[in-house]
Amino acid sequence: MKTEINKQDMLKIRMDASTLQLLEQARSYVGLDKSKFIRQSIREKAQAVIAEHEQTRFSAEDWRLFFELLDNPPEPTERMKKALQTYNNIVADEV
């Protein structure tokens, strides 16, 4: 997903006094102006939300089954054998 960057884009937000005070206190600690602090905070939060939603989570049972199948893989099916033969034919043609 590519977004065109335009420095003229503007975001106006309403903020209650306590949130504004928090913003001012936090940004003063890191030495950023309000705009840079807000942009950085939004970017960090957005990246964290995206990472959380794009992460694959496995249950204990999922992990148990995964390692069980690594230790004791099932016999290949006819379809898997055919796919391997097709792959081998493609690779042999490239050489």
Side-chain angles (χ1 to χ4, degrees):
M1 175 177 9
K2 189 169 183 165
T3 305
E4 185 178 325
I5 298 171
N6 182 354
K7 292 209 177 214
Q8 301 305 316
D9 287 346
M10 193 179 264
L11 173 66
K12 293 182 182 183
I13 59 172
R14 292 190 177 103
M15 204 175 300
D16 58 68
S18 62
T19 302
L20 184 57
Q21 183 180 357
L22 270 173
L23 167 66
E24 289 297 335
Q25 184 178 359
R27 74 161 196 84
S28 71
Y29 288 146
V30 293
L32 295 174
D33 66 37
K34 225 184 276 188
S35 272
K36 285 182 183 176
F37 183 83
I38 291 170
R39 281 193 309 270
Q40 181 178 337
S41 298
I42 290 170
R43 191 175 300 116
E44 288 172 2
K45 181 64 176 182
Q47 288 169 338
V49 168
I50 291 167
E52 179 68 24
H53 283 83
E54 291 183 350
Q55 193 174 61
T56 302
R57 296 184 186 267
F58 296 105
S59 68
E61 177 61 18
D62 294 333
W63 282 113
R64 187 200 62 72
L65 180 59
F66 174 77
F67 286 113
E68 172 66 27
L69 288 171
L70 281 179
D71 291 338
N72 302 303
E75 289 296 317
T77 64
E78 287 305 314
R79 190 172 176 186
M80 291 169 72
K81 291 175 186 176
K82 184 178 177 186
L84 176 61
Q85 184 60 48
T86 302
Y87 171 77
N88 287 336
N89 292 340
I90 292 169
V91 171
D93 288 343
E94 291 178 359
V95 185

